């Protein structure tokens, strides 16, 4: 029998993907052959042929990036049982939960996430949970205080009966036998826990309805006369594990950092850096977990899984963070908004795991504190006083923070015996002006300058030569809620496109990270693939306009039937769709889910990503700054009985204007073609069935918008948007006619 001390804590298992590689290469060579054909016959065709050539060149380049990323997929298999045998004492973990708006992110959701964290299978005295409330809401604080009382019952109950799902709202939505047992003692305790949780829920609901939990006296005095974006720092130790007992409740700390109108607060990245500094003063754990307020723990052994690659002797000085994929609970059937990311994580995510590692996803991630503080892999084993002082020289004016930072870099933990002893210093490092003249946000901590601080921070970590690990245990480590409405999904996509382009157009561009840093070449290509999402609207919008233009002007951009290139195009279309459909079916998704994701890819690209691009251009021109828009969180998204669930919703936002315009343009073009209102073809080769097929295909992609033209209420496109789109469509038709006359 093998010695457990000699066995690895994790394994990287390559996936067999020979067939996938063959299809990837086949599609790539078909695209190349199409480009060559287009190029050879450029002189024989007009502007539409040239535009099609440029768009297809972009698609080919993008496909090459996809092939590179997916080429070497691997799975990480962790062995937490070996970890417990190998490590004499598990390291401490500071857990960060971020929330920013008590309306968009209801406190009951945050409370369930916190309760699930406090109940994980890990020594309680090794854990500390910090909640960052950027909304400075007394309701959020009140909810956490009440939740801490319930946690004293809930955590022992979970560990006594080995409950697997430790978010109460999720656990009590199922039959007690599903997750616990059938003994009479268990049934009685289950009923008691459910009653207690319902009382907690009612207290929080009552506080939300009243807008304030109580008079602003006593513990709530600091919340009086505060505004969301203008208030002093508020730090409350809700519960402290003073006895350091294994079965005691872990530390629970509430933080609302100082905000002032004239001081930039850098959105979530700024909140994360305050959490890093305050936790460094209070507990200074060598590892940090961060989750969004809606991402509850679904696997109680999550922390043990995460520690396997971080503590294994062969990778302790190589792997900077363990990232768990985002998985969503109670998602709408067939993923109507294309935002559950199942196939993306399965294929692109595991492909990244075979390179330098997955991107940092902003939630469900365990970080090494010394890496966040700026340490490089080559320096881990040789941190001396001079090196530590060099890193800490721009840490800020807090002597206590500099001391704790030095301990963290050297692998020492010497936190205060009492959290209250660090309160005063914590207020100092939570101040809105503390970071001026420091390296926070640039060389230390979470990076500023992008609304997707997660990808930006991960890129800078990879630039220093670190690797990362993608862990996919069964059951999934965390579950969250995906946006369940058109406006919410569009807002999320716009924020992603904006933030990704901010990185691409900055000094943090991965090309520079490869040339002047330690970012591997293929990892650079993977970063380029995701960072260029916001640029994809240019070729896609242009390619989407070509069929309509050709139908109205009686021209063509596709090869004619007698040209062999037409069969190449048909082969690309068929093989690509069959190939992507097979990926969805192998991932346990339905044909409808595949189609929903295909059409949402077109909708997101031409709507949200277009506005994300415009936001970045306005920022670069100094016209306006980009804004971090919080996505609506809704615990009720798993209500499958809702008759309206999955129906596309709209609002007055201009983000739906491009999609509506595209739909109206193609409907007009089809009518023009059907009624034979086209001018005579110049060269005798006018538009054909290929252009009609493309136009019909795009109408099908924008089918939710077609239904929205006739819908009512939130399921209908506002009349103002329809009027603007009609005007733009008429302008497009006029341009086409003028081009024909010219």
């Amino acid at each position: 029998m093998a010695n457990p001390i000699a066995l690895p804590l994790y394994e990287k298992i390559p996936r067999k993907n020979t067939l996938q590689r063959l299809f990837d290469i086949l599609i790539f060579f078909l695209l190349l052959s199409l480009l060559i054909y287009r190029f050879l016959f450029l002189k024989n065709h007009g502007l539409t042929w040239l535009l099609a050539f440029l768009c297809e060149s972009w698609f080919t380049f993008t496909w090459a990036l996809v092939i590179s990323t997916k080429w070497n997929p691997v799975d990480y298999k962790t062995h937490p049982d070996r970890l417990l045998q190998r490590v004499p004492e598990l390291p401490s973990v500071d857990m960060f939960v971020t929330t920013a708006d008590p309306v968009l992110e209801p406190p009951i959701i945050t409370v369930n996430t916190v309760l699930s964290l406090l109940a994980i299978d890990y020594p309680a005295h090794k854990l500390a949970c910090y909640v960052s409330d950027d909304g400075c809401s007394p309701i959020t604080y009140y909810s956490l205080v009440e939740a801490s009382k319930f946690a004293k019952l809930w955590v022992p109950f979970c560990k006594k009966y080995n409950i697997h799902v430790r978010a109460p709202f999720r656990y009590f939505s199922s039959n007690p036998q599903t997750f616990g047992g059938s003994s009479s003692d268990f049934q009685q305790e289950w009923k008691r826990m459910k009653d207690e949780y319902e009382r907690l829920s009612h207290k929080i609901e009552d506080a939300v309805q009243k807008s304030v939990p109580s008079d602003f006296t006593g513990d709530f005095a600091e919340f009086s006369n505060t505004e969301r974006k203008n208030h002093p720092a508020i730090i409350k130790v809700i519960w402290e594990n003073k006895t350091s007992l294994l079965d005691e409740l872990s530390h629970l700390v509430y933080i609302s950092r100082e905000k002032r109108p004239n001081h930039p607060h850098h959105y979530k990245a700024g909140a994360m850096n305050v959490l890093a500094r305050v936790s460094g003063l209070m507990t200074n754990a060598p590892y940090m977990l961060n989750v969004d307020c809606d991402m509850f723990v679904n696997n109680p052994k999550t922390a043990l899984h995460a520690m396997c690659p971080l503590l294994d002797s062969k990778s302790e000085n190589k792997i900077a963070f363990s990232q768990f994929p985002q998985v969503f609970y109670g998602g709408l059937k067939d993923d109507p908004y294309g935002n559950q990311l199942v196939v993306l994580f399965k294929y692109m995510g595991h492909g990244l795991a075979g390179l330098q590692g997955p991107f940092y996803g902003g939630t469900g991630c365990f970080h090494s504190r010394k890496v966040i503080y700026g340490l490089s892999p080559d320096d881990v084993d040789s941190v001396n006083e001079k090196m530590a002082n060099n890193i800490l020289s721009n840490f800020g004016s807090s002597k206590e923070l500099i001391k704790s930072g030095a301990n963290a870099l050297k692998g020492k933990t010497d936190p205060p015996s009492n959290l209250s002893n660090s309160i005063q210093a914590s207020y100092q490092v939570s101040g809105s002006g503390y970071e001026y003249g420091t390296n926070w946000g640039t060389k230390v901590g979470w990076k500023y300058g992008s609304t997707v601080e997660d990808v930006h921070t991960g890129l800078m970590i990879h630039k220093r030569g670190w690797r990362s690990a993608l862990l996919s245990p069964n059951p999934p480590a965390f579950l969250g809620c995906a946006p369940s409405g058109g406006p919410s999904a569009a807002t999320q996509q716009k924020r992603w496109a904006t933030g990704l382009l901010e990185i691409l157009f900055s000094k943090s561009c991965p090309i520079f990270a490869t040339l002047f840093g330690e970012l591997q070449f293929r990892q650079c290509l993977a970063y380029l693939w995701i960072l260029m999402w916001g640029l994809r609207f240019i070729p896609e919008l242009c390619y989407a306009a070509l069929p309509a233009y050709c139908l109205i002007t009686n021209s063509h951009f596709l090869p004619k039937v007698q040209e062999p290139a037409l069969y190449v195009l048909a082969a690309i279309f068929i093989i690509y769709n069959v190939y992507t459909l097979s990926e969805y079916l192998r991932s346990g998704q339905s044909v409808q889910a595949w189609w929903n994701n295909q059409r949402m890819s077109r909708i997101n690209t031409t709507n949200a990503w277009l506005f994300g691009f415009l936001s970045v251009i306005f920022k670069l021109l100094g016209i306006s700054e980009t804004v971090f828009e919080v996505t609506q969180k809704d615990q009720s998204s798993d209500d499958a009985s809702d008759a309206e669930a999955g129906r596309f919703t709209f609002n007055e936002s201009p983000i739906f204007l491009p999609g509506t315009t595209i739909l109206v343009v193609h409907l007009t073009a089809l009518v023009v073609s059907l009624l034979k209102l086209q001018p005579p073809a110049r060269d005798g080769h006018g538009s054909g069935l290929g252009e009609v097929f493309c136009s019909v295909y795009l109408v099908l992609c924008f089918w939710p918008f077609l239904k929205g033209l006739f819908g009512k209420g939130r399921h209908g496109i506002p009349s103002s948007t329809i009027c603007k789109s009609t005007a733009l469509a008429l302008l497009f038709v006029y341009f086409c006619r003028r081009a024909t006359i010219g």
Side-chain angles (χ1 to χ4, degrees), residues 180-198:
S182 56
S183 68
S184 59
D185 289 343
F186 168 77
Q187 294 287 348
Q188 290 176 0
E189 288 203 50
W190 183 91
K191 182 69 169 60
R192 178 188 169 214
M193 286 299 112
K194 186 175 183 181
D195 292 343
E196 291 292 339
Y197 176 69
E198 288 176 352

Side-chain angles (χ1 to χ4, degrees), residues 684-702:
H685 296 292
S687 59
L689 287 177
E691 284 76 18
V692 172
F693 174 81
C694 290
S695 200
V696 170
Y697 176 78
L698 279 165
V699 170
L700 291 176
C701 286
F702 285 86

Side-chain angles (χ1 to χ4, degrees), residues 52-68:
F53 171 75
L54 294 175
C55 292
E56 288 158 2
S57 298
W58 174 272
F59 301 148
T60 305
F61 172 64
T62 304
W63 189 249
L65 297 182
V66 170
I67 292 175
S68 173

Side-chain angles (χ1 to χ4, degrees), residues 281 395-404 425-426 428-429 434:
L281 289 168
F395 236 52
S397 57
S398 171
K399 294 180 180 178
E400 295 89 342
L401 181 62
I402 292 173
K403 180 182 177 182
S404 75
S426 297
Q428 179 189 356
V429 302
Y434 180 81

Side-chain angles (χ1 to χ4, degrees), residues 556-608:
H556 67 97
F557 78 101
L558 297 175
K560 305 311 273 183
V561 175
Q562 62 270 25
E563 298 178 78
L566 181 65
Y567 301 103
V568 175
L569 264 172
I572 292 171
F573 181 82
I574 294 170
I575 294 172
Y576 173 78
N577 281 288
V578 171
Y579 173 57
T580 54
L581 175 59
S582 71
E583 288 187 329
Y584 277 80
L585 294 177
R586 280 180 284 153
S587 301
Q589 304 292 294
S590 64
V591 175
Q592 184 64 49
W594 164 78
W595 170 245
N596 288 340
N597 277 264
Q598 295 300 304
R599 65 175 175 78
M600 283 306 300
S601 178
R602 307 284 80 76
I603 291 171
N604 288 330
T605 303
T606 53
N607 289 274

